[in-house]
Amino acid sequence: MSHSASAHTFQVDLRGLVDLLSHHLYSSPRVYLRELLQNSVDAITARRAADPGAPAAITVRTGGTLTITDTGIGLTEADVHRFLATIGRSSKRTADGGLDGAGLAAERGDFIGQFGIGLLACFVVADEITVVSRHAADPAAPAVEWRGHSDGRYTIRTLPAGSVPEPGTTVRLTPRADNAEWTTHARVVELARHYGSLLPHEVTVVDEDGGRLRIDEAPPWQRQHGSPLARREALTAYCRSVFDFTPLDTIELDLPAAGLRGVAYVLPTALSPAQRAGHRVHLKGMLLSDRASELLPDWAFFVRCVIDTTSLRPTASREALYEDGTLAAVRDALGVRIRDWLTGLAASDPALLHRFIDVHHLAVKALARYDDELLRIVLPWLPFETTDGNVTLEEFARTHRTVLVTRSVEEFRQVAPIASAAGLGVVNGGYTYDRDLVHRLPEIRPGTAVTDLDPATVTAHLDAVDPSAEIRAAAFLSVARETVAAHDCDVVLRDFQPVTAPVLLLDNREARHERTRSGLAADSDGLWADILGSLRSETPRAQLVLNHLNPLVRQAVTITERGLAVAAAESLLGQALLLSRRPLKANESTLLNRAFISLLTHAMHPGGAPSAPGTDEPRKEQ
């Protein structure tokens, strides 16, 4: 049994396609002018491939309608039928890289547009588009007019001889009422400057009164300057006009193999590493994106770039860079250039290096973790929080041959006053990258020892109290141990400096993990509780160390009344938690509230049985 098949052609709903472009492919209706400028630049490129001396000018006229005229290659009647009447077809796309339909041997890489849908973007702001074109290769060829409508209708007609005196193309838009703002003179000038300021051809915007405004200008890195200082000032002025800030420094970028030139500007203020900087990327002079965060490595968040390139590929919307091997290679090469600038500062401009590190030390720390050469140069300059204040590791290591590092900010807050009084050198390793970098200090400074801080190290520097004082405090210590045991904590009495520190909470990560495990096990049931129970360890509990030299503690250990002793023990534990300066958990906040209420109750009912908080009944002794 035979079956026959028939061929069919897709039917395209132009209104639906325009809606797709405006709401999903393009970020804003403003891209219509970029597409028009882009087509004009490509037409001029095609004409100059055969005639390098051909004029290169683009003129945009505003008024009731908007027109854009170029001195490019133009279109024949056959080209109009083939390209303007077929959605998605481009005169610049051929199998062998040549210019289809133009009869010119142009390289595909010379053109900006790639996808053959640029003219459709104009339907986002206009209901009618008129294209009048005269081909440059055949002087005898008549001019052709193509008139298209957003509902899919179009007409083509040949114009009388002499009606278009010069080769080239004029596109005229009749704006829609709901998008008329995009074709006003002020908006067109803004968009032309935004997209076309670095185009290599003359771009002029003409208002309805005939006033002319030149848009294009050579970027400062392509101009000749009288001196290095003048060049630097020009690059800085360009940063102010484009990014609206005065840079800390400028880094010129030049990758001839990638056809890339531009400038990286060092931000004068700190930026979070999670906040990706947007870079301005021009493709053959046309602005591709001003939010191209993928241009540089993640660690280089302290610079913003403006570049012009010929090798990077755009996405279909031509508003971002296509992620491929070329982009990855360019990103790595630019990262090397920025790193070289940074390492060169140590020798050429130490004062600028200090200013840069003051602002961007987090970025430098992120980079130094993976770059041995940079680590060697900048690690001695980086500031760290230590028991000697915010100092560089070089300064700190000169005073302390053994450098102790905490694992968390909380741990540093707990031990810093006591460690400082005991002469221990402790660095806060709780901040991002700090602990890893401090542990690499011996690579840069041989003879320096670095080790993680252990609570036992601090305990060893606390003096035992006189045995008679320990005996006198025994009753209070017994109640205190019983009280804080509910928080997986023990109580010890010691003498240590400074006298102003009444308590010290010594904790370690293993003890915290064990308490977390125990809490999860208590809240679980069945198999999961058994699994957590099997992981139980004999990790020592946290220690609440009372400073017997402190007047508050000396007074507290004399308390004999049990209720007041309980309140005092809870208050001391609460004070230790507050001194750690970490967020309090719900049960810790409850502990503080209960302790203060108990102390107030005892103060308001001296000599009698105080009422339990929230009741009118006397508190019963346990």
Side-chain angles (χ1 to χ4, degrees):
M1 186 177 194
S2 62
H3 297 276
S4 61
S6 57
H8 300 277
T9 301
F10 283 108
Q11 301 299 309
V12 178
D13 179 357
L14 189 56
R15 287 189 184 275
L17 183 57
V18 170
D19 181 72
L20 178 67
L21 292 176
S22 60
H23 292 98
H24 300 282
L25 183 62
Y26 296 126
S27 62
S28 165
R30 67 179 185 169
V31 299
Y32 85 92
L33 190 63
R34 182 198 65 191
E35 299 295 334
L36 290 175
L37 290 172
Q38 182 171 284
N39 286 341
S40 295
V41 171
D42 286 339
I44 292 172
T45 301
R47 184 175 181 183
R48 284 197 157 188
D51 180 9
I58 302 170
T59 304
V60 183
R61 297 181 183 275
T62 60
T65 61
L66 182 138
T67 65
I68 180 167
T69 301
D70 65 66
T71 58
I73 188 66
L75 297 170
T76 65
E77 184 174 354
D79 293 335
V80 171
H81 281 283
R82 192 190 315 180
F83 303 126
L84 298 188
T86 306
I87 293 174
R89 191 158 196 181
S90 172
S91 63
K92 300 176 285 286
R93 182 191 293 129
T94 65
D96 59 3
L99 181 64
D100 189 7
L104 297 176
E107 291 295 330
R108 178 65 191 87
D110 293 337
F111 299 104
I112 302 174
Q114 297 183 43
F115 301 95
I117 56 176
L119 193 62
L120 289 181
C122 297
F123 281 121
V124 174
V125 298
D127 274 330
E128 180 180 294
I129 302 173
T130 302
V131 178
V132 176
S133 187
R134 178 184 162 192
H135 200 271
D138 182 6
V144 182
E145 178 190 84
W146 176 92
R147 190 184 300 268
H149 302 268
S150 59
D151 59 5
R153 296 178 295 112
Y154 70 91
T155 60
I156 299 177
R157 68 187 182 102
T158 301
L159 299 180
S163 57
V164 180
E166 297 293 333
T169 300
T170 296
V171 179
R172 180 179 299 107
L173 306 184
T174 303
R176 291 206 311 266
D178 58 343
N179 272 325
E181 62 164 309
W182 294 105
T183 58
T184 62
H185 180 75
R187 182 55 64 91
V188 169
V189 169
E190 174 193 337
L191 296 179
R193 281 179 169 155
H194 181 71
Y195 288 115
S197 61
L198 299 190
L199 286 175
H201 311 309
E202 179 182 327
V203 181
T204 305
V205 178
V206 183
D207 62 25
E208 55 188 335
D209 296 325
R212 304 176 68 86
L213 179 64
R214 182 81 176 264
I215 297 299
D216 60 292
E217 61 175 334
W221 57 84
Q222 290 183 357
R223 301 181 211 146
Q224 295 295 321
H225 301 277
S227 66
L229 178 59
R231 183 177 185 85
R232 180 186 178 89
E233 290 177 347
L235 293 174
T236 300
Y238 189 74
C239 178
R240 284 194 292 264
S241 66
V242 172
F243 293 128
D244 196 28
F245 68 82
T246 300
L248 196 63
D249 200 9
T250 59
I251 309 168
E252 291 205 50
L253 308 174
D254 189 3
L255 301 178
L260 182 149
R261 291 193 67 183
V263 188
Y265 294 106
V266 182
L267 292 167
T269 56
L271 190 68
S272 166
Q275 185 178 349
R276 301 289 298 275
H279 309 292
R280 288 179 65 90
V281 176
H282 296 258
L283 182 60
K284 305 178 184 72
M286 181 70 67
L287 180 68
L288 180 71
S289 173
D290 56 3
R291 298 185 298 274
S293 59
E294 64 274 24
L295 182 66
L296 294 182
D298 290 345
W299 56 259
F301 56 84
F302 54 87
V303 300
R304 291 192 69 180
C305 295
V306 53
I307 66 161
D308 189 21
T309 178
T310 61
S311 64
L312 299 180
R313 295 173 56 194
T315 59
S317 66
R318 292 192 285 279
E319 294 183 307
L321 293 171
Y322 182 78
E323 188 68 48
D324 59 7
T326 302
L327 177 58
V330 166
R331 180 163 50 232
D332 290 343
L334 293 179
V336 169
R337 176 67 187 92
I338 294 171
R339 189 203 68 175
D340 290 345
W341 164 82
L342 188 53
T343 55
L345 284 184
S348 63
D349 196 342
L352 178 58
L353 178 61
H354 270 299
R355 293 202 305 273
F356 171 77
I357 288 178
D358 285 344
V359 176
H360 297 294
H361 57 272
L362 188 59
V364 180
K365 289 178 179 180
L367 178 56
R369 292 173 68 216
Y370 305 106
D371 191 312
D372 291 342
E373 177 64 18
L374 185 66
L375 178 76
R376 183 186 65 80
I377 293 173
V378 304
L379 184 58
W381 301 76
L382 293 173
F384 290 82
E385 185 178 9
T386 75
T387 47
D388 292 352
N390 283 316
V391 298
T392 65
L393 284 185
E394 180 67 27
E395 290 180 73
F396 194 69
R398 282 199 294 265
T399 309
H400 306 279
R401 290 188 61 84
T402 299
V403 177
L404 303 172
V405 190
T406 65
R407 290 184 173 89
S408 67
V409 175
E410 172 191 341
E411 188 177 13
F412 180 80
R413 298 281 188 259
Q414 291 168 355
V415 304
I418 291 86
S420 178
L424 296 176
V426 182
V427 179
N428 186 351
Y431 294 120
T432 306
Y433 314 127
D434 282 16
R435 182 168 170 265
D436 292 342
L437 290 172
V438 176
H439 272 286
R440 298 193 65 181
L441 181 61
E443 301 175 27
I444 312 303
R445 205 176 192 278
T448 302
V450 177
T451 183
D452 285 330
L453 177 68
D454 188 276
T457 305
V458 179
T459 305
H461 287 77
L462 306 180
D463 298 327
V465 300
D466 183 85
S468 60
E470 183 92 32
I471 293 173
R472 288 193 298 272
F476 175 80
L477 293 177
S478 176
V479 175
R481 291 187 180 107
E482 181 183 338
T483 301
V484 303
H487 298 273
D488 290 314
C489 190
D490 196 9
V491 179
V492 295
L493 188 65
R494 294 288 186 270
D495 288 344
F496 57 87
Q497 296 293 334
V499 175
T500 54
V503 289
L504 169 65
L505 184 63
L506 290 179
D507 204 357
N508 58 38
R509 187 163 55 175
E510 289 75 16
R512 289 194 294 270
H513 287 176
E514 174 60 21
R515 291 197 297 275
T516 301
R517 184 210 59 77
S518 300
L520 291 173
D523 295 337
S524 304
D525 53 20
L527 178 62
W528 184 239
D530 293 339
I531 293 173
L532 291 172
S534 69
L535 299 176
R536 181 179 180 84
S537 67
E538 297 302 322
T539 304
R541 295 182 296 178
Q543 282 191 331
L544 180 65
V545 184
L546 307 183
N547 186 2
H548 189 248
L549 300 179
N550 181 269
L552 172 62
V553 174
R554 282 182 177 272
Q555 185 71 23
V557 297
T558 63
I559 298 174
T560 57
E561 196 272 307
R562 180 179 176 82
L564 184 58
V566 169
E570 289 184 334
S571 297
L572 289 169
L573 177 58
Q575 186 172 11
L577 291 169
L578 291 174
L579 288 173
S580 71
R581 287 190 275 180
R582 65 165 174 79
L584 296 180
K585 299 177 183 177
N587 65 329
E588 294 168 346
S589 297
T590 301
L591 167 80
L592 278 171
N593 290 333
R594 184 172 62 245
F596 288 136
I597 291 174
S598 296
L599 290 174
L600 286 173
T601 302
H602 279 85
M604 294 169 65
H605 301 275
S611 299
T615 71
D616 295 326
E617 299 295 328
R619 181 192 296 271
K620 296 181 179 180
E621 295 296 329
Q622 301 296 318

PDB file of all heavy atoms in Angstrom, residues 483 487 569-571 573-574 577 586-596:
ATOM      1  N   THR A 483      22.444  24.918  87.652  1.00  0.00           N
ATOM      2  CA  THR A 483      21.591  25.818  86.876  1.00  0.00           C
ATOM      3  C   THR A 483      21.964  25.828  85.399  1.00  0.00           C
ATOM      4  O   THR A 483      21.095  25.732  84.528  1.00  0.00           O
ATOM      5  CB  THR A 483      21.689  27.244  87.445  1.00  0.00           C
ATOM      6  OG1 THR A 483      21.272  27.235  88.819  1.00  0.00           O
ATOM      7  CG2 THR A 483      20.799  28.193  86.657  1.00  0.00           C
ATOM      8  N   HIS A 487      21.989  24.021  79.943  1.00  0.00           N
ATOM      9  CA  HIS A 487      22.475  24.626  78.703  1.00  0.00           C
ATOM     10  C   HIS A 487      23.783  23.970  78.242  1.00  0.00           C
ATOM     11  O   HIS A 487      24.552  24.572  77.507  1.00  0.00           O
ATOM     12  CB  HIS A 487      22.674  26.122  78.890  1.00  0.00           C
ATOM     13  CG  HIS A 487      21.413  26.843  79.228  1.00  0.00           C
ATOM     14  ND1 HIS A 487      20.537  27.329  78.283  1.00  0.00           N
ATOM     15  CD2 HIS A 487      20.862  27.139  80.442  1.00  0.00           C
ATOM     16  CE1 HIS A 487      19.507  27.901  78.881  1.00  0.00           C
ATOM     17  NE2 HIS A 487      19.677  27.807  80.202  1.00  0.00           N
ATOM     18  N   ALA A 569      23.432  33.087  88.691  1.00  0.00           N
ATOM     19  CA  ALA A 569      24.116  32.198  87.742  1.00  0.00           C
ATOM     20  C   ALA A 569      23.555  32.383  86.332  1.00  0.00           C
ATOM     21  O   ALA A 569      24.306  32.437  85.341  1.00  0.00           O
ATOM     22  CB  ALA A 569      23.966  30.750  88.193  1.00  0.00           C
ATOM     23  N   GLU A 570      22.244  32.474  86.223  1.00  0.00           N
ATOM     24  CA  GLU A 570      21.641  32.679  84.897  1.00  0.00           C
ATOM     25  C   GLU A 570      22.031  34.036  84.318  1.00  0.00           C
ATOM     26  O   GLU A 570      22.256  34.171  83.114  1.00  0.00           O
ATOM     27  CB  GLU A 570      20.120  32.552  84.991  1.00  0.00           C
ATOM     28  CG  GLU A 570      19.648  31.126  85.231  1.00  0.00           C
ATOM     29  CD  GLU A 570      18.136  31.022  85.218  1.00  0.00           C
ATOM     30  OE1 GLU A 570      17.457  32.044  85.513  1.00  0.00           O
ATOM     31  OE2 GLU A 570      17.615  29.934  84.896  1.00  0.00           O
ATOM     32  N   SER A 571      22.132  35.056  85.186  1.00  0.00           N
ATOM     33  CA  SER A 571      22.531  36.391  84.713  1.00  0.00           C
ATOM     34  C   SER A 571      23.963  36.376  84.197  1.00  0.00           C
ATOM     35  O   SER A 571      24.275  36.998  83.164  1.00  0.00           O
ATOM     36  CB  SER A 571      22.406  37.409  85.846  1.00  0.00           C
ATOM     37  OG  SER A 571      21.073  37.528  86.281  1.00  0.00           O
ATOM     38  N   LEU A 573      25.611  33.775  82.975  1.00  0.00           N
ATOM     39  CA  LEU A 573      25.623  33.067  81.705  1.00  0.00           C
ATOM     40  C   LEU A 573      25.068  33.954  80.585  1.00  0.00           C
ATOM     41  O   LEU A 573      25.622  34.006  79.480  1.00  0.00           O
ATOM     42  CB  LEU A 573      24.808  31.777  81.802  1.00  0.00           C
ATOM     43  CG  LEU A 573      24.677  30.974  80.498  1.00  0.00           C
ATOM     44  CD1 LEU A 573      26.050  30.587  79.954  1.00  0.00           C
ATOM     45  CD2 LEU A 573      23.814  29.733  80.712  1.00  0.00           C
ATOM     46  N   GLY A 574      23.995  34.683  80.888  1.00  0.00           N
ATOM     47  CA  GLY A 574      23.432  35.598  79.893  1.00  0.00           C
ATOM     48  C   GLY A 574      24.407  36.685  79.498  1.00  0.00           C
ATOM     49  O   GLY A 574      24.518  37.044  78.315  1.00  0.00           O
ATOM     50  N   LEU A 577      26.926  35.276  77.111  1.00  0.00           N
ATOM     51  CA  LEU A 577      26.355  35.131  75.774  1.00  0.00           C
ATOM     52  C   LEU A 577      26.315  36.481  75.057  1.00  0.00           C
ATOM     53  O   LEU A 577      26.608  36.577  73.859  1.00  0.00           O
ATOM     54  CB  LEU A 577      24.944  34.541  75.870  1.00  0.00           C
ATOM     55  CG  LEU A 577      24.857  33.077  76.321  1.00  0.00           C
ATOM     56  CD1 LEU A 577      23.408  32.698  76.624  1.00  0.00           C
ATOM     57  CD2 LEU A 577      25.434  32.151  75.254  1.00  0.00           C
ATOM     58  N   ALA A 586      16.263  31.374  70.965  1.00  0.00           N
ATOM     59  CA  ALA A 586      15.028  31.629  71.708  1.00  0.00           C
ATOM     60  C   ALA A 586      15.193  31.249  73.182  1.00  0.00           C
ATOM     61  O   ALA A 586      14.779  31.996  74.083  1.00  0.00           O
ATOM     62  CB  ALA A 586      13.867  30.866  71.074  1.00  0.00           C
ATOM     63  N   ASN A 587      15.805  30.080  73.448  1.00  0.00           N
ATOM     64  CA  ASN A 587      15.959  29.663  74.848  1.00  0.00           C
ATOM     65  C   ASN A 587      16.942  30.545  75.602  1.00  0.00           C
ATOM     66  O   ASN A 587      16.839  30.720  76.821  1.00  0.00           O
ATOM     67  CB  ASN A 587      16.375  28.198  74.913  1.00  0.00           C
ATOM     68  CG  ASN A 587      17.749  27.950  74.306  1.00  0.00           C
ATOM     69  OD1 ASN A 587      18.153  28.639  73.371  1.00  0.00           O
ATOM     70  ND2 ASN A 587      18.462  26.960  74.823  1.00  0.00           N
ATOM     71  N   GLU A 588      17.908  31.141  74.889  1.00  0.00           N
ATOM     72  CA  GLU A 588      18.865  32.039  75.537  1.00  0.00           C
ATOM     73  C   GLU A 588      18.209  33.374  75.881  1.00  0.00           C
ATOM     74  O   GLU A 588      18.492  33.956  76.941  1.00  0.00           O
ATOM     75  CB  GLU A 588      20.080  32.235  74.630  1.00  0.00           C
ATOM     76  CG  GLU A 588      20.885  30.950  74.458  1.00  0.00           C
ATOM     77  CD  GLU A 588      21.923  31.052  73.346  1.00  0.00           C
ATOM     78  OE1 GLU A 588      21.847  32.000  72.543  1.00  0.00           O
ATOM     79  OE2 GLU A 588      22.791  30.172  73.268  1.00  0.00           O
ATOM     80  N   SER A 589      17.336  33.864  75.005  1.00  0.00           N
ATOM     81  CA  SER A 589      16.581  35.084  75.327  1.00  0.00           C
ATOM     82  C   SER A 589      15.667  34.851  76.524  1.00  0.00           C
ATOM     83  O   SER A 589      15.523  35.715  77.405  1.00  0.00           O
ATOM     84  CB  SER A 589      15.761  35.525  74.114  1.00  0.00           C
ATOM     85  OG  SER A 589      16.583  35.871  73.033  1.00  0.00           O
ATOM     86  N   THR A 590      15.050  33.665  76.572  1.00  0.00           N
ATOM     87  CA  THR A 590      14.198  33.319  77.723  1.00  0.00           C
ATOM     88  C   THR A 590      15.014  33.287  79.007  1.00  0.00           C
ATOM     89  O   THR A 590      14.576  33.754  80.065  1.00  0.00           O
ATOM     90  CB  THR A 590      13.542  31.955  77.481  1.00  0.00           C
ATOM     91  OG1 THR A 590      12.769  32.014  76.286  1.00  0.00           O
ATOM     92  CG2 THR A 590      12.639  31.569  78.642  1.00  0.00           C
ATOM     93  N   LEU A 591      16.230  32.737  78.931  1.00  0.00           N
ATOM     94  CA  LEU A 591      17.121  32.697  80.089  1.00  0.00           C
ATOM     95  C   LEU A 591      17.403  34.099  80.620  1.00  0.00           C
ATOM     96  O   LEU A 591      17.310  34.350  81.841  1.00  0.00           O
ATOM     97  CB  LEU A 591      18.433  32.013  79.689  1.00  0.00           C
ATOM     98  CG  LEU A 591      19.602  32.159  80.671  1.00  0.00           C
ATOM     99  CD1 LEU A 591      19.440  31.171  81.824  1.00  0.00           C
ATOM    100  CD2 LEU A 591      20.941  31.928  79.974  1.00  0.00           C
ATOM    101  N   LEU A 592      17.739  35.037  79.718  1.00  0.00           N
ATOM    102  CA  LEU A 592      18.038  36.399  80.147  1.00  0.00           C
ATOM    103  C   LEU A 592      16.824  37.057  80.796  1.00  0.00           C
ATOM    104  O   LEU A 592      16.933  37.690  81.858  1.00  0.00           O
ATOM    105  CB  LEU A 592      18.503  37.226  78.951  1.00  0.00           C
ATOM    106  CG  LEU A 592      19.970  37.085  78.536  1.00  0.00           C
ATOM    107  CD1 LEU A 592      20.220  37.787  77.208  1.00  0.00           C
ATOM    108  CD2 LEU A 592      20.869  37.692  79.617  1.00  0.00           C
ATOM    109  N   ASN A 593      15.664  36.926  80.163  1.00  0.00           N
ATOM    110  CA  ASN A 593      14.457  37.540  80.717  1.00  0.00           C
ATOM    111  C   ASN A 593      14.143  36.976  82.109  1.00  0.00           C
ATOM    112  O   ASN A 593      13.821  37.720  83.046  1.00  0.00           O
ATOM    113  CB  ASN A 593      13.268  37.301  79.780  1.00  0.00           C
ATOM    114  CG  ASN A 593      13.388  38.103  78.497  1.00  0.00           C
ATOM    115  OD1 ASN A 593      14.018  39.155  78.474  1.00  0.00           O
ATOM    116  ND2 ASN A 593      12.794  37.608  77.428  1.00  0.00           N
ATOM    117  N   ARG A 594      14.256  35.644  82.243  1.00  0.00           N
ATOM    118  CA  ARG A 594      13.953  35.014  83.530  1.00  0.00           C
ATOM    119  C   ARG A 594      14.939  35.470  84.605  1.00  0.00           C
ATOM    120  O   ARG A 594      14.557  35.736  85.752  1.00  0.00           O
ATOM    121  CB  ARG A 594      14.002  33.494  83.368  1.00  0.00           C
ATOM    122  CG  ARG A 594      13.612  32.742  84.641  1.00  0.00           C
ATOM    123  CD  ARG A 594      13.485  31.237  84.405  1.00  0.00           C
ATOM    124  NE  ARG A 594      14.759  30.649  83.987  1.00  0.00           N
ATOM    125  CZ  ARG A 594      14.968  30.094  82.783  1.00  0.00           C
ATOM    126  NH1 ARG A 594      13.997  30.057  81.884  1.00  0.00           N
ATOM    127  NH2 ARG A 594      16.146  29.573  82.480  1.00  0.00           N
ATOM    128  N   ALA A 595      16.217  35.598  84.236  1.00  0.00           N
ATOM    129  CA  ALA A 595      17.222  36.010  85.212  1.00  0.00           C
ATOM    130  C   ALA A 595      16.969  37.429  85.714  1.00  0.00           C
ATOM    131  O   ALA A 595      17.015  37.699  86.932  1.00  0.00           O
ATOM    132  CB  ALA A 595      18.615  35.918  84.590  1.00  0.00           C
ATOM    133  N   PHE A 596      16.657  38.346  84.788  1.00  0.00           N
ATOM    134  CA  PHE A 596      16.430  39.736  85.201  1.00  0.00           C
ATOM    135  C   PHE A 596      15.162  39.870  86.025  1.00  0.00           C
ATOM    136  O   PHE A 596      15.118  40.631  87.003  1.00  0.00           O
ATOM    137  CB  PHE A 596      16.368  40.640  83.970  1.00  0.00           C
ATOM    138  CG  PHE A 596      17.703  40.836  83.306  1.00  0.00           C
ATOM    139  CD1 PHE A 596      17.832  40.765  81.925  1.00  0.00           C
ATOM    140  CD2 PHE A 596      18.831  41.085  84.057  1.00  0.00           C
ATOM    141  CE1 PHE A 596      19.051  40.936  81.320  1.00  0.00           C
ATOM    142  CE2 PHE A 596      20.065  41.263  83.453  1.00  0.00           C
ATOM    143  CZ  PHE A 596      20.180  41.182  82.075  1.00  0.00           C
TER     144      PHE A 596
END
